[in-house]
Amino acid sequence: MAALRKVICVDDNRILLQVLDWYLKSRGYAVLPCSNAGAALNLLTKERVDAVVVDYKMPDMDGGEVAAAIRSRTPEVPIIMYSGITDIPQQTLRLVDCFVRKGQADAFQVLGDFLDSWFSKSARRNSPTNSGGTTRHSVRPHRRSGAAT
Protein backbone atom coordinates (compact mmCIF):
# COMPACT_ATOMS: atom_id res chain seq x y z
CA MET A 1 0.00 0.00 0.00
CA ALA A 2 1.34 3.43 -0.93
CA ALA A 3 2.17 5.91 1.80
CA LEU A 4 -0.26 8.76 2.28
CA ARG A 5 0.77 12.16 0.96
CA LYS A 6 1.61 14.49 3.85
CA VAL A 7 0.06 17.94 3.80
CA ILE A 8 0.89 20.67 6.30
CA CYS A 9 -2.13 22.91 6.96
CA VAL A 10 -1.33 26.26 8.57
CA ASP A 11 -4.13 28.46 9.93
CA ASP A 12 -4.58 30.36 13.19
CA ASN A 13 -8.31 29.56 13.13
CA ARG A 14 -8.37 26.26 15.01
CA ILE A 15 -11.91 25.36 13.94
CA LEU A 16 -11.07 25.82 10.28
CA LEU A 17 -7.88 23.84 10.83
CA GLN A 18 -9.96 20.97 12.23
CA VAL A 19 -12.31 21.09 9.23
CA LEU A 20 -9.36 21.09 6.80
CA ASP A 21 -7.86 18.19 8.72
CA TRP A 22 -11.09 16.19 8.50
CA TYR A 23 -11.73 17.01 4.84
CA LEU A 24 -8.24 16.24 3.57
CA LYS A 25 -8.07 13.03 5.61
CA SER A 26 -11.37 12.01 4.02
CA ARG A 27 -9.66 12.41 0.64
CA GLY A 28 -6.76 10.18 1.66
CA TYR A 29 -4.13 12.67 2.84
CA ALA A 30 -2.10 12.60 6.05
CA VAL A 31 -2.60 16.04 7.58
CA LEU A 32 -0.09 17.82 9.81
CA PRO A 33 -2.05 20.73 11.31
CA CYS A 34 -0.18 23.82 12.56
CA SER A 35 -1.86 26.76 14.26
CA ASN A 36 0.97 29.19 13.45
CA ALA A 37 3.64 29.78 10.85
CA GLY A 38 6.57 29.15 13.17
CA ALA A 39 5.31 25.66 14.01
CA ALA A 40 4.86 24.88 10.31
CA LEU A 41 8.36 26.02 9.36
CA ASN A 42 9.80 24.06 12.27
CA LEU A 43 7.89 20.97 11.14
CA LEU A 44 9.34 21.37 7.64
CA THR A 45 12.83 20.88 9.09
CA LYS A 46 11.76 17.58 10.68
CA GLU A 47 9.32 16.04 8.18
CA ARG A 48 9.30 15.42 4.47
CA VAL A 49 5.99 16.83 3.28
CA ASP A 50 4.25 16.69 -0.06
CA ALA A 51 2.25 19.95 0.06
CA VAL A 52 1.43 22.95 2.22
CA VAL A 53 -1.90 24.73 2.65
CA VAL A 54 -1.40 28.14 4.24
CA ASP A 55 -3.61 31.03 5.31
CA TYR A 56 -2.47 34.54 4.39
CA LYS A 57 -3.33 36.57 7.48
CA MET A 58 -1.84 35.12 10.65
CA PRO A 59 -0.46 36.79 13.78
CA ASP A 60 3.17 35.61 13.66
CA MET A 61 3.92 35.76 9.90
CA ASP A 62 1.80 36.32 6.84
CA GLY A 63 1.33 33.62 4.23
CA GLY A 64 3.70 35.35 1.84
CA GLU A 65 6.55 35.13 4.33
CA VAL A 66 5.72 31.48 4.95
CA ALA A 67 5.59 30.74 1.21
CA ALA A 68 8.96 32.47 0.66
CA ALA A 69 10.54 30.43 3.44
CA ILE A 70 9.12 27.20 2.02
CA ARG A 71 10.29 28.04 -1.51
CA SER A 72 13.83 28.67 -0.26
CA ARG A 73 13.92 25.31 1.58
CA THR A 74 11.80 23.01 -0.58
CA PRO A 75 10.98 24.65 -3.94
CA GLU A 76 9.34 21.49 -5.31
CA VAL A 77 6.60 21.39 -2.65
CA PRO A 78 3.29 22.81 -3.92
CA ILE A 79 1.84 25.62 -1.84
CA ILE A 80 -1.88 26.36 -1.73
CA MET A 81 -2.89 29.67 -0.22
CA TYR A 82 -6.30 29.33 1.39
CA SER A 83 -7.45 32.75 2.55
CA GLY A 84 -10.41 35.05 2.93
CA ILE A 85 -8.18 38.01 2.03
CA THR A 86 -8.61 38.86 -1.63
CA ASP A 87 -6.12 41.73 -2.04
CA ILE A 88 -3.00 39.62 -1.68
CA PRO A 89 0.14 41.15 -3.21
CA GLN A 90 1.16 39.78 -6.61
CA GLN A 91 4.66 38.93 -5.35
CA THR A 92 2.99 36.61 -2.82
CA LEU A 93 0.70 35.04 -5.41
CA ARG A 94 3.74 34.30 -7.58
CA LEU A 95 5.12 32.14 -4.75
CA VAL A 96 2.09 29.86 -4.54
CA ASP A 97 0.77 27.22 -6.91
CA CYS A 98 -2.89 27.76 -6.15
CA PHE A 99 -5.07 30.34 -4.42
CA VAL A 100 -8.42 29.28 -2.97
CA ARG A 101 -10.73 31.86 -1.40
CA LYS A 102 -12.20 30.94 1.95
CA GLY A 103 -15.94 31.19 1.88
CA GLN A 104 -16.46 30.26 -1.76
CA ALA A 105 -19.07 27.54 -1.98
CA ASP A 106 -16.71 24.87 -3.36
CA ALA A 107 -13.50 25.94 -1.60
CA PHE A 108 -12.69 22.57 -0.02
CA GLN A 109 -13.51 20.76 -3.25
CA VAL A 110 -11.21 23.08 -5.25
CA LEU A 111 -8.42 22.58 -2.72
CA GLY A 112 -8.78 18.79 -2.72
CA ASP A 113 -9.10 18.61 -6.50
CA PHE A 114 -5.94 20.70 -6.91
CA LEU A 115 -3.97 18.35 -4.66
CA ASP A 116 -5.32 15.25 -6.41
CA SER A 117 -4.50 16.67 -9.82
CA TRP A 118 -1.04 17.88 -8.75
CA PHE A 119 -0.05 14.48 -7.42
CA SER A 120 -1.61 12.66 -10.35
CA LYS A 121 0.43 14.76 -12.79
CA SER A 122 3.51 14.37 -10.60
CA ALA A 123 3.16 10.59 -10.72
CA ARG A 124 2.86 10.67 -14.51
CA ARG A 125 5.93 12.95 -14.81
CA ASN A 126 7.96 10.56 -12.65
CA SER A 127 6.68 7.43 -14.39
CA PRO A 128 9.35 5.48 -16.32
CA THR A 129 6.99 5.38 -19.31
CA ASN A 130 6.62 9.17 -19.44
CA SER A 131 8.30 10.63 -22.49
CA GLY A 132 6.96 14.14 -22.04
CA GLY A 133 8.37 17.16 -20.27
CA THR A 134 7.85 18.32 -16.73
CA THR A 135 5.11 20.85 -17.21
CA ARG A 136 3.59 22.42 -14.14
CA HIS A 137 0.00 21.91 -13.10
CA SER A 138 -2.35 23.39 -15.71
CA VAL A 139 -5.77 23.27 -14.04
CA ARG A 140 -5.17 25.43 -11.04
CA PRO A 141 -7.12 28.47 -9.94
CA HIS A 142 -3.92 30.49 -9.82
CA ARG A 143 -0.61 30.03 -11.57
CA ARG A 144 2.70 30.89 -10.01
CA SER A 145 3.41 33.24 -12.92
CA GLY A 146 0.92 35.63 -11.36
CA ALA A 147 -1.75 35.21 -14.02
CA ALA A 148 -5.09 34.06 -12.67
CA THR A 149 -7.09 31.52 -14.61
Short mmCIF file of all heavy atoms in Angstrom, two decimals, residues 3 6 11 15 17 25 43-45 48 51 59 62 70 86 88 98 102 106 110 115 117 130-132 134 143 147 149:
data_model
loop_
_atom_site.label_atom_id
_atom_site.label_comp_id
_atom_site.label_asym_id
_atom_site.label_seq_id
_atom_site.Cartn_x
_atom_site.Cartn_y
_atom_site.Cartn_z
N ALA A 3 2.23 5.00 0.65
CA ALA A 3 2.17 5.91 1.80
C ALA A 3 1.28 7.10 1.46
O ALA A 3 1.21 7.54 0.31
CB ALA A 3 3.58 6.39 2.14
N LYS A 6 1.67 13.64 2.66
CA LYS A 6 1.61 14.49 3.85
C LYS A 6 1.39 15.94 3.45
O LYS A 6 2.12 16.48 2.61
CB LYS A 6 2.91 14.41 4.64
CG LYS A 6 3.15 13.09 5.31
CD LYS A 6 4.45 13.15 6.10
CE LYS A 6 4.83 11.79 6.61
NZ LYS A 6 6.15 11.83 7.27
N ASP A 11 -3.08 27.45 9.76
CA ASP A 11 -4.13 28.46 9.93
C ASP A 11 -4.27 28.74 11.42
O ASP A 11 -4.25 27.81 12.22
CB ASP A 11 -5.45 27.96 9.34
CG ASP A 11 -6.40 29.10 9.03
OD1 ASP A 11 -6.70 29.91 9.94
OD2 ASP A 11 -6.85 29.18 7.88
N ILE A 15 -10.73 26.07 14.45
CA ILE A 15 -11.91 25.36 13.94
C ILE A 15 -11.74 25.05 12.46
O ILE A 15 -11.98 23.92 12.01
CB ILE A 15 -13.20 26.15 14.22
CG1 ILE A 15 -13.45 26.20 15.73
CG2 ILE A 15 -14.40 25.54 13.49
CD1 ILE A 15 -14.56 27.13 16.16
N LEU A 17 -8.96 24.82 10.91
CA LEU A 17 -7.88 23.84 10.83
C LEU A 17 -8.41 22.42 11.06
O LEU A 17 -8.03 21.48 10.36
CB LEU A 17 -6.81 24.19 11.87
CG LEU A 17 -5.43 23.62 11.69
CD1 LEU A 17 -4.84 23.95 10.32
CD2 LEU A 17 -4.51 24.13 12.78
N LYS A 25 -8.19 14.44 5.21
CA LYS A 25 -8.07 13.03 5.61
C LYS A 25 -9.12 12.19 4.90
O LYS A 25 -8.84 11.06 4.49
CB LYS A 25 -8.19 12.88 7.13
CG LYS A 25 -6.91 13.25 7.84
CD LYS A 25 -7.05 13.09 9.34
CE LYS A 25 -5.75 13.43 10.03
NZ LYS A 25 -5.88 13.41 11.50
N LEU A 43 8.27 22.32 11.58
CA LEU A 43 7.89 20.97 11.14
C LEU A 43 8.55 20.62 9.81
O LEU A 43 8.96 19.48 9.59
CB LEU A 43 6.37 20.88 11.03
CG LEU A 43 5.77 19.51 10.77
CD1 LEU A 43 6.19 18.50 11.84
CD2 LEU A 43 4.25 19.61 10.72
N LEU A 44 8.70 21.61 8.93
CA LEU A 44 9.34 21.37 7.64
C LEU A 44 10.80 20.93 7.79
O LEU A 44 11.33 20.28 6.89
CB LEU A 44 9.29 22.62 6.77
CG LEU A 44 8.03 22.80 5.94
CD1 LEU A 44 8.00 24.18 5.31
CD2 LEU A 44 7.93 21.72 4.88
N THR A 45 11.44 21.31 8.87
CA THR A 45 12.83 20.88 9.09
C THR A 45 12.90 19.45 9.59
O THR A 45 13.95 18.82 9.50
CB THR A 45 13.56 21.80 10.10
OG1 THR A 45 12.95 21.68 11.39
CG2 THR A 45 13.54 23.25 9.64
N ARG A 48 9.42 15.25 5.92
CA ARG A 48 9.30 15.42 4.47
C ARG A 48 7.81 15.53 4.19
O ARG A 48 7.04 14.65 4.59
CB ARG A 48 9.88 14.22 3.73
CG ARG A 48 9.92 14.47 2.21
CD ARG A 48 10.13 13.21 1.43
NE ARG A 48 8.99 12.30 1.48
CZ ARG A 48 7.85 12.47 0.79
NH1 ARG A 48 7.68 13.52 0.03
NH2 ARG A 48 6.88 11.58 0.88
N ALA A 51 2.95 18.71 0.41
CA ALA A 51 2.25 19.95 0.06
C ALA A 51 2.02 20.77 1.33
O ALA A 51 2.06 20.23 2.44
CB ALA A 51 0.91 19.65 -0.62
N PRO A 59 -1.11 35.85 12.86
CA PRO A 59 -0.46 36.79 13.78
C PRO A 59 1.07 36.79 13.75
O PRO A 59 1.68 37.83 13.90
CB PRO A 59 -0.97 36.38 15.16
CG PRO A 59 -1.73 35.14 15.00
CD PRO A 59 -1.92 34.87 13.55
N ASP A 62 2.86 36.46 7.83
CA ASP A 62 1.80 36.32 6.84
C ASP A 62 2.15 35.17 5.89
O ASP A 62 3.27 34.67 5.87
CB ASP A 62 1.52 37.64 6.11
CG ASP A 62 2.60 38.08 5.13
OD1 ASP A 62 3.17 37.23 4.43
OD2 ASP A 62 2.84 39.29 5.06
N ILE A 70 9.28 28.56 2.56
CA ILE A 70 9.12 27.20 2.02
C ILE A 70 9.83 27.08 0.68
O ILE A 70 10.53 26.11 0.42
CB ILE A 70 7.62 26.84 1.89
CG1 ILE A 70 6.98 26.73 3.28
CG2 ILE A 70 7.45 25.54 1.10
CD1 ILE A 70 5.47 26.67 3.25
N THR A 86 -8.63 38.90 -0.16
CA THR A 86 -8.61 38.86 -1.63
C THR A 86 -7.60 39.82 -2.25
O THR A 86 -7.28 39.69 -3.42
CB THR A 86 -10.00 39.17 -2.21
OG1 THR A 86 -10.43 40.44 -1.72
CG2 THR A 86 -11.00 38.09 -1.81
N ILE A 88 -4.33 40.14 -1.99
CA ILE A 88 -3.00 39.62 -1.68
C ILE A 88 -2.02 40.15 -2.72
O ILE A 88 -2.31 40.15 -3.92
CB ILE A 88 -3.04 38.09 -1.66
CG1 ILE A 88 -3.92 37.63 -0.50
CG2 ILE A 88 -1.64 37.50 -1.55
CD1 ILE A 88 -4.21 36.18 -0.45
N CYS A 98 -1.43 27.69 -6.07
CA CYS A 98 -2.89 27.76 -6.15
C CYS A 98 -3.39 28.72 -5.08
O CYS A 98 -2.83 28.76 -3.98
CB CYS A 98 -3.46 26.36 -5.93
SG CYS A 98 -5.26 26.23 -5.92
N LYS A 102 -11.33 31.44 0.88
CA LYS A 102 -12.20 30.94 1.95
C LYS A 102 -13.59 31.51 1.74
O LYS A 102 -13.74 32.66 1.35
CB LYS A 102 -11.70 31.39 3.32
CG LYS A 102 -10.48 30.69 3.82
CD LYS A 102 -10.11 31.23 5.19
CE LYS A 102 -8.84 30.60 5.71
NZ LYS A 102 -8.42 31.20 6.99
N ASP A 106 -17.41 26.13 -3.08
CA ASP A 106 -16.71 24.87 -3.36
C ASP A 106 -15.24 24.91 -2.95
O ASP A 106 -14.42 24.19 -3.50
CB ASP A 106 -16.84 24.53 -4.84
CG ASP A 106 -16.21 25.58 -5.74
OD1 ASP A 106 -15.88 26.69 -5.26
OD2 ASP A 106 -16.04 25.28 -6.94
N VAL A 110 -12.27 22.53 -4.39
CA VAL A 110 -11.21 23.08 -5.25
C VAL A 110 -9.84 22.72 -4.68
O VAL A 110 -8.94 22.28 -5.40
CB VAL A 110 -11.36 24.61 -5.42
CG1 VAL A 110 -10.14 25.22 -6.10
CG2 VAL A 110 -12.62 24.94 -6.20
N LEU A 115 -4.96 19.30 -5.18
CA LEU A 115 -3.97 18.35 -4.66
C LEU A 115 -4.00 17.04 -5.44
O LEU A 115 -2.95 16.52 -5.84
CB LEU A 115 -4.21 18.10 -3.17
CG LEU A 115 -3.83 19.23 -2.23
CD1 LEU A 115 -4.33 18.95 -0.83
CD2 LEU A 115 -2.33 19.47 -2.23
N SER A 117 -5.01 16.46 -8.46
CA SER A 117 -4.50 16.67 -9.82
C SER A 117 -2.98 16.87 -9.81
O SER A 117 -2.27 16.32 -10.65
CB SER A 117 -5.20 17.87 -10.44
OG SER A 117 -4.73 18.08 -11.74
N ASN A 130 6.90 7.80 -19.02
CA ASN A 130 6.62 9.17 -19.44
C ASN A 130 7.72 9.65 -20.38
O ASN A 130 8.88 9.64 -20.04
CB ASN A 130 6.54 10.10 -18.22
CG ASN A 130 6.24 11.53 -18.61
OD1 ASN A 130 5.72 11.78 -19.69
ND2 ASN A 130 6.57 12.46 -17.75
N SER A 131 7.32 10.09 -21.55
CA SER A 131 8.30 10.63 -22.49
C SER A 131 8.16 12.13 -22.65
O SER A 131 8.89 12.75 -23.39
CB SER A 131 8.13 9.95 -23.86
OG SER A 131 6.83 10.21 -24.35
N GLY A 132 7.20 12.70 -21.92
CA GLY A 132 6.96 14.14 -22.04
C GLY A 132 7.83 14.94 -21.11
O GLY A 132 8.67 14.43 -20.38
N THR A 134 8.28 18.18 -18.11
CA THR A 134 7.85 18.32 -16.73
C THR A 134 7.03 19.58 -16.57
O THR A 134 7.41 20.49 -15.85
CB THR A 134 9.06 18.35 -15.78
OG1 THR A 134 9.91 19.43 -16.18
CG2 THR A 134 9.82 17.06 -15.80
N ARG A 143 -1.90 30.52 -11.15
CA ARG A 143 -0.61 30.03 -11.57
C ARG A 143 0.49 30.85 -10.92
O ARG A 143 0.32 32.03 -10.68
CB ARG A 143 -0.47 30.14 -13.08
CG ARG A 143 -1.44 29.25 -13.79
CD ARG A 143 -1.38 29.53 -15.27
NE ARG A 143 -2.56 28.97 -15.88
CZ ARG A 143 -2.52 27.89 -16.64
NH1 ARG A 143 -1.42 27.29 -16.91
NH2 ARG A 143 -3.64 27.43 -17.14
N ALA A 147 -0.54 35.08 -13.21
CA ALA A 147 -1.75 35.21 -14.02
C ALA A 147 -2.84 34.31 -13.47
O ALA A 147 -2.64 33.12 -13.30
CB ALA A 147 -1.47 34.83 -15.46
N THR A 149 -6.33 32.21 -13.57
CA THR A 149 -7.09 31.52 -14.61
C THR A 149 -8.55 31.63 -14.35
O THR A 149 -8.99 31.91 -13.27
CB THR A 149 -6.70 30.01 -14.66
OG1 THR A 149 -6.90 29.43 -13.38
CG2 THR A 149 -5.30 29.85 -15.14
#
